[in-house]
Amino acid sequence: MASDEFIFTSESVSEGHPDKVSDQISDAVVDAHIGGDPASRVACETLTATNLVVLAGEITSAEQVDYEQLARRVIREIGYVGTDGFDADTCEIMTRLVAQSPDISQGVTTGQGLHEEQGAGDQGLMFGYACDQTPELMPLPISLSQRLVAKLAELRKQGTISYLKPDSKSQVSIRYREGKPDKITAVVISTQHDDAATLEQITSDVREQVITPIVPAELLDEDTVYHVNPTGRFVVGGPSGDCGLTGRKIIVDTYGGWGRHGGGAFSGKDPSKVDRSAAYMARYLAKNIVHAGLARQCEVQLAYAIGVAQPVSVHVNSFATAAGADSLLAQKIQEEVDLRPASIIECLDLKRPIFRPTAAYGHFGRKAENGLFPWEKTDLAARLG
């Protein structure tokens, strides 16, 4: 391999993966509370295991929610109905939810704590990233990985491939030359299936009905390696095959490892938590910088102290693809955009029940059911340019 070549790999998992089942339940709880009380404070973690769901965390809200029925509805919509080991109607559901700590609450409530205005819900650093590899300004490996498992889910729900079950995973490896995608070297698909389905049938259907419609043919050649259900069998899946936890797929949720991650999970958190809202804002800023033609790729870092409104730092890295200095881009961001948590929430209109759809197939580079997620809009580009 030449010195200017490298191979990069990203993975994704489907909505039926146990960690994603957990994420979707947690975000359904966020939506249920915010939908009835936009001022709700929610930090809900979910554990899923064989015939068991446990919800734990801190919630302060005027909205009353039937957590058991909500969790069962999410599991049912994912597709775990009449399934051995994990079933929407028969699994045990436990709740351990208490009110938000008053020590945290005073830091994120206007007029309380050491500072008058609403501060960040926690300390931390958040990254946002964008690049010109795809129309949605995302790295190509994660974009393709997300679309592959989404296609599997579509075919399963339509009944086009009748033996498919909810749990699946994908992985795409791409060779880059001079910083641009040149060739897909490997595609990996693992999908849960009925016991009667043969590996030969699964391989043929996945190649023809999943990979071919999604993966660009010009990036494939006779040397591309395909691994379909490489263990040979994937009947036991979902939470009955592996314990699931909220927030354990943060790289799948973001940029597939291409852009950095600050470590904070998104799902189960209301937008007062900057782990979520500031990461969305950082993506919004990075995407608008690239869309404006100010850089071919861009990473924005925001960092906060708990209870303090203004970020402690704003950093931009264009990876030497910008015409000017990165420090000038950071300065422009701070001149044009109010990065205090309350202003981020208002700018991106986050006090709405829009979060469960983000909990599978990635938070970035996607459209919501009724249009773009607000952090995917490019309405800031003209002001930055």
Side-chain angles (χ1 to χ4, degrees), residues 329-374:
L329 288 173
Q331 180 180 336
K332 184 67 172 177
I333 284 172
Q334 294 173 85
E335 291 172 352
E336 294 292 335
V337 182
D338 189 340
L339 296 174
R340 293 174 297 175
S343 298
I344 290 174
I345 291 169
E346 181 179 3
C347 174
L348 299 180
D349 195 13
L350 296 180
K351 286 190 175 182
R352 297 179 293 134
I354 60 173
F355 298 110
R356 185 189 158 192
T358 68
Y361 312 118
H363 292 245
F364 307 122
R366 296 176 52 217
K367 292 183 178 181
E369 292 180 2
N370 298 316
L372 285 176
F373 289 119

Short mmCIF file of all heavy atoms in Angstrom, two decimals, residues 329-374:
data_model
loop_
_atom_site.label_atom_id
_atom_site.label_comp_id
_atom_site.label_asym_id
_atom_site.label_seq_id
_atom_site.Cartn_x
_atom_site.Cartn_y
_atom_site.Cartn_z
N LEU A 329 -12.05 30.91 12.14
CA LEU A 329 -13.33 30.22 12.08
C LEU A 329 -13.95 30.12 13.47
O LEU A 329 -15.16 30.32 13.65
CB LEU A 329 -13.17 28.82 11.47
CG LEU A 329 -12.88 28.75 9.98
CD1 LEU A 329 -12.57 27.32 9.56
CD2 LEU A 329 -14.06 29.29 9.17
N ALA A 330 -13.14 29.80 14.47
CA ALA A 330 -13.64 29.73 15.84
C ALA A 330 -14.15 31.09 16.30
O ALA A 330 -15.19 31.18 16.97
CB ALA A 330 -12.53 29.23 16.77
N GLN A 331 -13.44 32.14 15.93
CA GLN A 331 -13.86 33.49 16.30
C GLN A 331 -15.18 33.85 15.61
O GLN A 331 -16.09 34.42 16.23
CB GLN A 331 -12.79 34.49 15.90
CG GLN A 331 -13.13 35.94 16.22
CD GLN A 331 -12.02 36.89 15.80
OE1 GLN A 331 -10.86 36.51 15.68
NE2 GLN A 331 -12.38 38.14 15.55
N LYS A 332 -15.31 33.46 14.35
CA LYS A 332 -16.54 33.75 13.60
C LYS A 332 -17.73 33.03 14.21
O LYS A 332 -18.84 33.60 14.32
CB LYS A 332 -16.35 33.33 12.14
CG LYS A 332 -17.52 33.68 11.23
CD LYS A 332 -17.68 35.17 11.06
CE LYS A 332 -18.71 35.51 10.01
NZ LYS A 332 -18.94 36.96 9.86
N ILE A 333 -17.53 31.78 14.62
CA ILE A 333 -18.60 31.03 15.26
C ILE A 333 -19.12 31.77 16.49
O ILE A 333 -20.33 31.93 16.68
CB ILE A 333 -18.09 29.63 15.67
CG1 ILE A 333 -18.00 28.70 14.45
CG2 ILE A 333 -18.99 29.00 16.73
CD1 ILE A 333 -17.33 27.38 14.74
N GLN A 334 -18.20 32.24 17.31
CA GLN A 334 -18.60 32.88 18.56
C GLN A 334 -19.23 34.25 18.32
O GLN A 334 -20.03 34.72 19.14
CB GLN A 334 -17.39 33.00 19.48
CG GLN A 334 -16.90 31.62 19.94
CD GLN A 334 -15.61 31.68 20.72
OE1 GLN A 334 -15.60 31.90 21.93
NE2 GLN A 334 -14.50 31.49 20.02
N GLU A 335 -18.91 34.87 17.21
CA GLU A 335 -19.55 36.14 16.86
C GLU A 335 -20.98 35.93 16.36
O GLU A 335 -21.85 36.78 16.59
CB GLU A 335 -18.73 36.86 15.78
CG GLU A 335 -17.38 37.38 16.27
CD GLU A 335 -16.52 37.91 15.13
OE1 GLU A 335 -16.93 37.73 13.95
OE2 GLU A 335 -15.46 38.46 15.41
N GLU A 336 -21.21 34.84 15.67
CA GLU A 336 -22.50 34.63 15.01
C GLU A 336 -23.49 33.78 15.81
O GLU A 336 -24.69 33.85 15.57
CB GLU A 336 -22.27 33.96 13.64
CG GLU A 336 -21.52 34.83 12.64
CD GLU A 336 -22.34 36.04 12.20
OE1 GLU A 336 -23.59 35.97 12.28
OE2 GLU A 336 -21.74 37.04 11.78
N VAL A 337 -22.99 32.95 16.73
CA VAL A 337 -23.85 31.97 17.40
C VAL A 337 -23.69 32.09 18.91
O VAL A 337 -22.57 32.14 19.43
CB VAL A 337 -23.50 30.53 16.95
CG1 VAL A 337 -24.44 29.53 17.62
CG2 VAL A 337 -23.58 30.41 15.43
N ASP A 338 -24.81 32.12 19.60
CA ASP A 338 -24.84 32.12 21.06
C ASP A 338 -24.74 30.67 21.53
O ASP A 338 -25.63 29.86 21.27
CB ASP A 338 -26.13 32.76 21.56
CG ASP A 338 -26.14 32.99 23.07
OD1 ASP A 338 -25.35 32.34 23.77
OD2 ASP A 338 -26.95 33.82 23.53
N LEU A 339 -23.65 30.34 22.21
CA LEU A 339 -23.37 28.96 22.58
C LEU A 339 -23.74 28.63 24.02
O LEU A 339 -23.34 27.59 24.54
CB LEU A 339 -21.89 28.65 22.32
CG LEU A 339 -21.46 28.73 20.86
CD1 LEU A 339 -19.96 28.56 20.72
CD2 LEU A 339 -22.19 27.69 20.01
N ARG A 340 -24.52 29.48 24.67
CA ARG A 340 -25.04 29.15 25.99
C ARG A 340 -26.12 28.07 25.84
O ARG A 340 -26.85 28.05 24.85
CB ARG A 340 -25.62 30.39 26.66
CG ARG A 340 -24.58 31.45 27.00
CD ARG A 340 -25.24 32.71 27.54
NE ARG A 340 -26.09 33.33 26.53
CZ ARG A 340 -26.86 34.38 26.76
NH1 ARG A 340 -26.90 34.94 27.97
NH2 ARG A 340 -27.62 34.90 25.79
N PRO A 341 -26.22 27.14 26.80
CA PRO A 341 -27.16 26.02 26.66
C PRO A 341 -28.59 26.43 26.34
O PRO A 341 -29.23 25.83 25.46
CB PRO A 341 -27.07 25.32 28.02
CG PRO A 341 -25.69 25.60 28.48
CD PRO A 341 -25.38 27.00 28.01
N ALA A 342 -29.13 27.44 27.02
CA ALA A 342 -30.50 27.87 26.74
C ALA A 342 -30.64 28.36 25.31
O ALA A 342 -31.67 28.13 24.66
CB ALA A 342 -30.92 28.96 27.72
N SER A 343 -29.62 29.03 24.80
CA SER A 343 -29.67 29.55 23.43
C SER A 343 -29.53 28.43 22.41
O SER A 343 -30.15 28.47 21.34
CB SER A 343 -28.57 30.59 23.23
OG SER A 343 -28.76 31.70 24.10
N ILE A 344 -28.71 27.42 22.72
CA ILE A 344 -28.61 26.25 21.84
C ILE A 344 -29.97 25.57 21.72
O ILE A 344 -30.43 25.22 20.62
CB ILE A 344 -27.55 25.26 22.37
CG1 ILE A 344 -26.15 25.85 22.22
CG2 ILE A 344 -27.66 23.92 21.64
CD1 ILE A 344 -25.05 25.00 22.85
N ILE A 345 -30.63 25.37 22.85
CA ILE A 345 -31.95 24.73 22.87
C ILE A 345 -32.93 25.52 22.02
O ILE A 345 -33.70 24.95 21.24
CB ILE A 345 -32.45 24.58 24.31
CG1 ILE A 345 -31.60 23.56 25.07
CG2 ILE A 345 -33.92 24.18 24.34
CD1 ILE A 345 -31.83 23.53 26.56
N GLU A 346 -32.89 26.85 22.13
CA GLU A 346 -33.80 27.69 21.35
C GLU A 346 -33.44 27.67 19.88
O GLU A 346 -34.32 27.54 19.01
CB GLU A 346 -33.75 29.12 21.87
CG GLU A 346 -34.68 30.08 21.13
CD GLU A 346 -34.63 31.49 21.67
OE1 GLU A 346 -33.83 31.76 22.59
OE2 GLU A 346 -35.39 32.34 21.16
N CYS A 347 -32.15 27.77 19.56
CA CYS A 347 -31.69 27.80 18.17
C CYS A 347 -32.09 26.53 17.42
O CYS A 347 -32.56 26.58 16.28
CB CYS A 347 -30.18 28.00 18.13
SG CYS A 347 -29.44 27.87 16.48
N LEU A 348 -31.92 25.39 18.07
CA LEU A 348 -32.19 24.11 17.43
C LEU A 348 -33.58 23.56 17.76
O LEU A 348 -33.93 22.46 17.33
CB LEU A 348 -31.12 23.08 17.83
CG LEU A 348 -29.68 23.43 17.43
CD1 LEU A 348 -28.72 22.33 17.90
CD2 LEU A 348 -29.55 23.67 15.93
N ASP A 349 -34.36 24.34 18.51
CA ASP A 349 -35.75 23.98 18.84
C ASP A 349 -35.80 22.56 19.43
O ASP A 349 -36.50 21.68 18.91
CB ASP A 349 -36.62 24.08 17.59
CG ASP A 349 -38.10 24.08 17.91
OD1 ASP A 349 -38.46 24.25 19.09
OD2 ASP A 349 -38.91 23.89 16.98
N LEU A 350 -35.09 22.36 20.53
CA LEU A 350 -34.90 21.03 21.08
C LEU A 350 -35.92 20.62 22.13
O LEU A 350 -35.92 19.46 22.56
CB LEU A 350 -33.49 20.91 21.67
CG LEU A 350 -32.34 21.04 20.68
CD1 LEU A 350 -31.00 20.91 21.39
CD2 LEU A 350 -32.45 20.02 19.55
N LYS A 351 -36.76 21.53 22.59
CA LYS A 351 -37.75 21.15 23.60
C LYS A 351 -38.98 20.56 22.93
O LYS A 351 -40.12 21.00 23.14
CB LYS A 351 -38.10 22.35 24.48
CG LYS A 351 -37.01 22.70 25.47
CD LYS A 351 -37.48 23.72 26.48
CE LYS A 351 -36.41 23.98 27.54
NZ LYS A 351 -36.87 24.94 28.56
N ARG A 352 -38.76 19.55 22.10
CA ARG A 352 -39.82 18.86 21.37
C ARG A 352 -39.55 17.36 21.40
O ARG A 352 -38.39 16.95 21.52
CB ARG A 352 -39.88 19.32 19.91
CG ARG A 352 -40.21 20.78 19.72
CD ARG A 352 -40.22 21.12 18.24
NE ARG A 352 -38.89 21.04 17.64
CZ ARG A 352 -38.61 20.43 16.49
NH1 ARG A 352 -39.56 19.82 15.82
NH2 ARG A 352 -37.38 20.43 16.01
N PRO A 353 -40.58 16.54 21.28
CA PRO A 353 -40.37 15.09 21.29
C PRO A 353 -39.85 14.57 19.96
O PRO A 353 -40.57 13.92 19.19
CB PRO A 353 -41.77 14.55 21.61
CG PRO A 353 -42.70 15.58 21.06
CD PRO A 353 -42.01 16.90 21.26
N ILE A 354 -38.58 14.82 19.68
CA ILE A 354 -37.98 14.45 18.39
C ILE A 354 -36.84 13.44 18.54
O ILE A 354 -36.15 13.12 17.57
CB ILE A 354 -37.42 15.69 17.66
CG1 ILE A 354 -36.34 16.38 18.51
CG2 ILE A 354 -38.55 16.66 17.33
CD1 ILE A 354 -35.63 17.50 17.81
N PHE A 355 -36.67 12.88 19.73
CA PHE A 355 -35.41 12.19 20.02
C PHE A 355 -35.42 10.69 19.76
O PHE A 355 -34.38 10.13 19.41
CB PHE A 355 -34.98 12.49 21.45
CG PHE A 355 -34.72 13.95 21.67
CD1 PHE A 355 -35.55 14.72 22.45
CD2 PHE A 355 -33.65 14.57 21.04
CE1 PHE A 355 -35.32 16.07 22.64
CE2 PHE A 355 -33.41 15.92 21.21
CZ PHE A 355 -34.24 16.68 22.02
N ARG A 356 -36.56 10.02 19.91
CA ARG A 356 -36.52 8.57 19.70
C ARG A 356 -36.04 8.21 18.28
O ARG A 356 -35.27 7.25 18.13
CB ARG A 356 -37.88 7.94 19.98
CG ARG A 356 -37.78 6.42 19.86
CD ARG A 356 -39.09 5.69 19.90
NE ARG A 356 -38.94 4.38 19.29
CZ ARG A 356 -39.93 3.58 18.96
NH1 ARG A 356 -41.18 3.96 19.20
NH2 ARG A 356 -39.70 2.42 18.39
N PRO A 357 -36.45 8.92 17.23
CA PRO A 357 -35.95 8.55 15.89
C PRO A 357 -34.43 8.65 15.76
O PRO A 357 -33.85 8.03 14.86
CB PRO A 357 -36.65 9.55 14.96
CG PRO A 357 -37.89 9.94 15.69
CD PRO A 357 -37.51 9.96 17.13
N THR A 358 -33.77 9.42 16.64
CA THR A 358 -32.31 9.51 16.55
C THR A 358 -31.63 8.28 17.13
O THR A 358 -30.43 8.06 16.88
CB THR A 358 -31.79 10.74 17.32
OG1 THR A 358 -31.99 10.56 18.74
CG2 THR A 358 -32.49 12.01 16.88
N ALA A 359 -32.36 7.48 17.90
CA ALA A 359 -31.74 6.43 18.71
C ALA A 359 -31.39 5.17 17.92
O ALA A 359 -30.92 4.20 18.50
CB ALA A 359 -32.67 6.07 19.88
N ALA A 360 -31.63 5.16 16.62
CA ALA A 360 -31.16 4.07 15.76
C ALA A 360 -30.77 4.66 14.41
O ALA A 360 -31.42 5.59 13.93
CB ALA A 360 -32.24 3.01 15.58
N TYR A 361 -29.69 4.16 13.84
CA TYR A 361 -29.17 4.56 12.53
C TYR A 361 -28.50 5.94 12.53
O TYR A 361 -28.35 6.55 11.48
CB TYR A 361 -30.28 4.48 11.45
CG TYR A 361 -31.03 3.19 11.52
CD1 TYR A 361 -32.40 3.17 11.80
CD2 TYR A 361 -30.37 1.97 11.34
CE1 TYR A 361 -33.09 1.96 11.90
CE2 TYR A 361 -31.06 0.77 11.44
CZ TYR A 361 -32.42 0.77 11.71
OH TYR A 361 -33.10 -0.42 11.82
N GLY A 362 -28.07 6.39 13.69
CA GLY A 362 -27.23 7.58 13.76
C GLY A 362 -27.99 8.87 14.03
O GLY A 362 -29.13 9.03 13.62
N HIS A 363 -27.32 9.78 14.73
CA HIS A 363 -27.91 11.08 15.04
C HIS A 363 -27.61 12.12 13.97
O HIS A 363 -28.24 13.17 13.95
CB HIS A 363 -27.38 11.58 16.39
CG HIS A 363 -27.85 10.78 17.56
ND1 HIS A 363 -28.66 11.29 18.55
CD2 HIS A 363 -27.62 9.47 17.91
CE1 HIS A 363 -28.91 10.35 19.45
NE2 HIS A 363 -28.29 9.24 19.08
N PHE A 364 -26.67 11.83 13.09
CA PHE A 364 -26.20 12.84 12.14
C PHE A 364 -26.26 12.32 10.70
O PHE A 364 -26.20 11.12 10.45
CB PHE A 364 -24.77 13.25 12.48
CG PHE A 364 -24.61 13.69 13.91
CD1 PHE A 364 -23.70 13.06 14.74
CD2 PHE A 364 -25.38 14.71 14.42
CE1 PHE A 364 -23.56 13.45 16.06
CE2 PHE A 364 -25.25 15.12 15.73
CZ PHE A 364 -24.34 14.49 16.57
N GLY A 365 -26.42 13.27 9.77
CA GLY A 365 -26.46 12.91 8.36
C GLY A 365 -27.77 12.29 7.93
O GLY A 365 -27.84 11.65 6.87
N ARG A 366 -28.83 12.49 8.74
CA ARG A 366 -30.12 11.86 8.45
C ARG A 366 -31.24 12.88 8.46
O ARG A 366 -31.11 13.96 9.04
CB ARG A 366 -30.44 10.81 9.51
CG ARG A 366 -29.51 9.64 9.56
CD ARG A 366 -29.89 8.74 10.72
NE ARG A 366 -31.31 8.41 10.67
CZ ARG A 366 -32.07 8.29 11.76
NH1 ARG A 366 -31.57 8.52 12.95
NH2 ARG A 366 -33.34 7.95 11.64
N LYS A 367 -32.33 12.51 7.85
CA LYS A 367 -33.53 13.32 7.88
C LYS A 367 -34.50 12.76 8.92
O LYS A 367 -34.59 11.56 9.12
CB LYS A 367 -34.22 13.33 6.51
CG LYS A 367 -33.45 14.06 5.43
CD LYS A 367 -34.24 14.09 4.13
CE LYS A 367 -33.50 14.87 3.06
NZ LYS A 367 -34.27 14.93 1.79
N ALA A 368 -35.22 13.67 9.58
CA ALA A 368 -36.32 13.25 10.44
C ALA A 368 -37.50 12.88 9.57
O ALA A 368 -37.49 13.07 8.35
CB ALA A 368 -36.69 14.39 11.39
N GLU A 369 -38.53 12.32 10.18
CA GLU A 369 -39.70 11.89 9.40
C GLU A 369 -40.35 13.06 8.68
O GLU A 369 -40.87 12.91 7.58
CB GLU A 369 -40.70 11.21 10.34
CG GLU A 369 -40.21 9.88 10.90
CD GLU A 369 -41.22 9.24 11.81
OE1 GLU A 369 -42.31 9.81 11.97
OE2 GLU A 369 -40.92 8.17 12.37
N ASN A 370 -40.32 14.23 9.29
CA ASN A 370 -40.97 15.40 8.70
C ASN A 370 -39.97 16.46 8.27
O ASN A 370 -40.24 17.66 8.35
CB ASN A 370 -41.97 15.99 9.72
CG ASN A 370 -43.06 15.01 10.08
OD1 ASN A 370 -43.62 14.36 9.21
ND2 ASN A 370 -43.36 14.89 11.36
N GLY A 371 -38.83 16.04 7.81
CA GLY A 371 -37.81 16.98 7.37
C GLY A 371 -36.49 16.74 8.09
O GLY A 371 -36.31 15.75 8.77
N LEU A 372 -35.57 17.66 7.93
CA LEU A 372 -34.26 17.51 8.55
C LEU A 372 -34.33 17.68 10.06
O LEU A 372 -35.12 18.47 10.57
CB LEU A 372 -33.30 18.58 8.00
CG LEU A 372 -32.74 18.40 6.60
CD1 LEU A 372 -31.90 19.61 6.23
CD2 LEU A 372 -31.89 17.14 6.50
N PHE A 373 -33.50 16.91 10.77
CA PHE A 373 -33.28 17.26 12.16
C PHE A 373 -32.66 18.66 12.18
O PHE A 373 -31.85 18.99 11.30
CB PHE A 373 -32.32 16.26 12.82
CG PHE A 373 -32.92 14.90 13.04
CD1 PHE A 373 -32.38 13.78 12.43
CD2 PHE A 373 -34.03 14.75 13.86
CE1 PHE A 373 -32.94 12.52 12.63
CE2 PHE A 373 -34.59 13.49 14.07
CZ PHE A 373 -34.05 12.38 13.45
N PRO A 374 -33.01 19.50 13.14
CA PRO A 374 -32.59 20.90 13.08
C PRO A 374 -31.08 21.09 13.04
O PRO A 374 -30.60 22.06 12.43
CB PRO A 374 -33.20 21.53 14.34
CG PRO A 374 -33.67 20.39 15.18
CD PRO A 374 -33.93 19.24 14.27
#
